[in-house]
Amino acid sequence: MDTSIFTNYLKLIFGNKASFRKDQLEAIISTVNNHFTLVVEKTGWGKSLVYFLATKYFRDNGYGPTIIVSPLKALMRNQIEAASKLNLRAEMISGEFFKRENENKKYEILTSLNNNKIDILYVTPEQLNKNDLYNLLIANITQELALFVIDEVHCVSEWGHDFRPDFCSLKYFVESSIVNNKKIHILATTATANDMVIEDLCNQFNCEITTIRGELCRDSLHLCVLPEMSLSHKYAWILEYLQNHSGSGIIYALTIKDCDLLAQFLSVNNIVAFSYHSENGDEKNRWIEEKFFNNEIKVLVATSALGMGYDKPDVAFVIHLQKAKSMLEYYQQIGRAGRDIAKADVILMRSPKDDNCLDFFIKNAFPEPTIMREILSFIETQNIVKRQNILECFNISVSSCDKILKHLLARKLIRKDGSIWRNY
């Protein structure tokens, strides 16, 4: 293979003086040549460039679209815009795809797929786990698929059980549909995979994986840990900091309530601040993302809904109101800062109550095994079960029931047909 084609692609996009960062060209070549490549590189390194240029190569050589499984809508929206700058048409399928009001958009995407007009299709893990969508994709992708990408692949190992259970089902999808077809190339990317996570990923996907791993340190980030303080002192410290520092940034908080309260406090004190979390809804979050990107908002107070992949080049600070749930989550979140500026502040705040909140998340991250086994046995015995049947037989809440069913479904222990749950 003449690898200069990738350098030509790069210069076509960024100009004649453009050059690859360390490991980027190697990662692109591995993606094109090898069956399964895992890329572990620091935040801001440019992992999206790897699958963008690999996609361009495959499309220029007559292959079908690239499918990218991605966990966050903010991340997907951000990358769809970036792909358009490379003359790649990208579309997104999330939970809104099957809503009645989006029938026209659904028809447009499926027609474009059928006519081979889409280069990249972003899919959330939840949607990929649905038989209806899987069958639609198979029916409408007319050219042979060349590249399947799992973005933020550490979620399969590190966060899948808690953050997004459907990430756990990806290994079954890859195993049943992709891994045995050597013509399809698999690329998995992340900035947060330690040795344990890499080993676990290799075991879960159960195939030979070429790993490209770089340095994870970023010189632009200046880290600071503050002494323990009360919530009121945290608020006062943050307000003074924002009043004396230019630029825009992100404050991460553990709960939606924390985000809303701090954003309200800052707004009352003449700081342009918005809370960012799942309860806002897509339309509002899209509006907030755009305003923030254009520096019309000084600070977003966000949950982990903005924790991965969001690319704003001039984020000047990231503050954590409380300790993060894990070191890997912390690394992902601080990676939003200092991507294209020389210095960005990364500040960790703490209080004695943080551990109580984190303990709550840990205890509630995974359904209690005994009740999961009992419900699985109930479904296996009855074969055809509705959620109401489970609620009538077990002393659990609706939310707990839904969480258990989601975990059992993600692990292919049960299946869903409409509102009916069945033995797998």
Side-chain angles (χ1 to χ4, degrees), residues 285-343:
N285 277 342
R286 274 197 297 269
W287 180 85
I288 291 173
E289 289 167 25
E290 182 178 348
K291 294 291 185 182
F292 182 59
F293 192 86
N294 293 327
N295 289 318
E296 297 174 49
I297 295 173
K298 184 172 181 65
V299 60
L300 295 187
V301 189
T303 63
S304 57
L306 198 71
M308 291 185 290
Y310 180 74
D311 185 9
K312 184 177 187 294
D314 58 346
V315 172
F317 59 86
V318 166
I319 300 172
H320 279 77
L321 187 66
Q322 303 106 346
K323 287 188 281 188
K325 295 177 188 177
S326 71
M327 283 300 298
L328 294 186
E329 179 179 87
Y330 183 69
Y331 181 83
Q332 275 283 353
Q333 291 172 350
I334 67 174
R336 303 313 103 213
R339 290 179 167 232
D340 200 28
I341 54 179
K343 179 182 181 295

Side-chain angles (χ1 to χ4, degrees), residues 8-61:
N8 293 337
Y9 285 155
L10 186 75
K11 291 182 177 180
L12 185 66
I13 299 162
F14 298 108
N16 288 329
K17 294 183 179 180
S19 61
F20 286 108
R21 290 172 177 165
K22 185 177 183 295
D23 296 338
Q24 276 185 330
L25 182 57
E26 180 187 355
I28 295 167
I29 294 170
S30 178
T31 300
V32 170
N33 286 335
N34 295 315
H35 182 43
F36 198 138
T37 300
L38 170 63
V39 175
V40 184
E41 296 283 352
K42 61 189 175 185
T43 54
W45 173 83
K47 291 178 284 296
S48 59
L49 186 68
V50 175
Y51 45 78
F52 285 158
L53 295 194
T55 295
K56 186 162 181 60
Y57 173 83
F58 285 129
R59 295 293 280 167
D60 285 352
N61 284 276

Side-chain angles (χ1 to χ4, degrees), residues 207-253:
C207 68
E208 184 178 345
I209 299 178
T210 302
T211 301
I212 296 173
R213 188 175 185 181
E215 294 291 333
L216 298 183
C217 294
R218 296 220 351 242
D219 293 337
S220 62
L221 302 183
H222 292 241
L223 277 65
C224 171
V225 180
L226 299 181
E228 288 188 348
M229 60 181 77
S230 66
L231 184 61
S232 59
H233 281 92
K234 287 181 179 181
Y235 273 38
W237 193 98
I238 289 171
L239 179 59
E240 183 178 358
Y241 175 88
L242 296 178
Q243 289 172 337
N244 290 284
H245 285 76
S246 59
S248 59
I250 304 168
I251 300 174
Y252 283 105

Side-chain angles (χ1 to χ4, degrees), residues 371 390-391 393-397:
I371 191 68
I390 298 172
L391 294 173
C393 293
F394 297 90
N395 184 27
I396 57 173
S397 66

Side-chain angles (χ1 to χ4, degrees), residues 158-215:
E158 174 69 8
W159 286 349
H161 68 285
D162 177 18
F163 174 63
R164 300 284 277 274
D166 286 282
F167 255 104
C168 298
S169 67
L170 282 178
K171 63 180 179 182
Y172 303 111
F173 178 83
V174 170
E175 186 179 73
S176 62
S177 305
I178 293 177
V179 79
N180 292 322
N181 184 348
K182 300 301 181 183
K183 293 181 180 179
I184 299 178
H185 302 258
I186 306 168
L187 172 65
T189 65
T190 180
T192 47
N194 55 26
D195 290 341
M196 182 176 67
V197 171
I198 291 175
E199 182 179 357
D200 183 47
L201 291 173
C202 291
N203 290 333
Q204 288 205 50
F205 288 113
N206 194 29
C207 68
E208 184 178 345
I209 299 178
T210 302
T211 301
I212 296 173
R213 188 175 185 181
E215 294 291 333

Side-chain angles (χ1 to χ4, degrees), residues 353-377:
K353 293 183 179 180
D354 291 354
D355 289 336
N356 294 334
C357 188
L358 291 172
D359 286 343
F360 174 82
F361 282 120
I362 291 170
K363 290 176 182 177
N364 289 275
F366 198 81
E368 204 278 317
T370 300
I371 191 68
M372 284 188 70
R373 284 193 291 267
E374 290 175 357
I375 290 177
L376 176 60
S377 177

Side-chain angles (χ1 to χ4, degrees), residues 108-163:
E108 178 190 337
I109 290 176
L110 293 178
T111 301
S112 296
L113 274 176
N114 194 261
N115 293 327
N116 197 29
K117 299 297 184 182
I118 292 177
D119 301 304
I120 297 174
L121 188 66
Y122 283 91
V123 186
T124 61
E126 287 80 5
Q127 299 310 310
L128 193 63
N129 203 25
K130 292 180 178 178
N131 289 332
D132 289 348
L133 179 61
Y134 176 78
N135 292 331
L136 281 174
L137 292 181
I138 294 302
N140 287 280
I141 296 177
T142 52
Q143 298 292 105
E144 185 171 36
L145 190 70
L147 183 60
F148 182 79
V149 180
I150 307 172
D151 203 9
E152 310 296 351
V153 71
H154 62 276
C155 293
V156 173
S157 176
E158 174 69 8
W159 286 349
H161 68 285
D162 177 18
F163 174 63

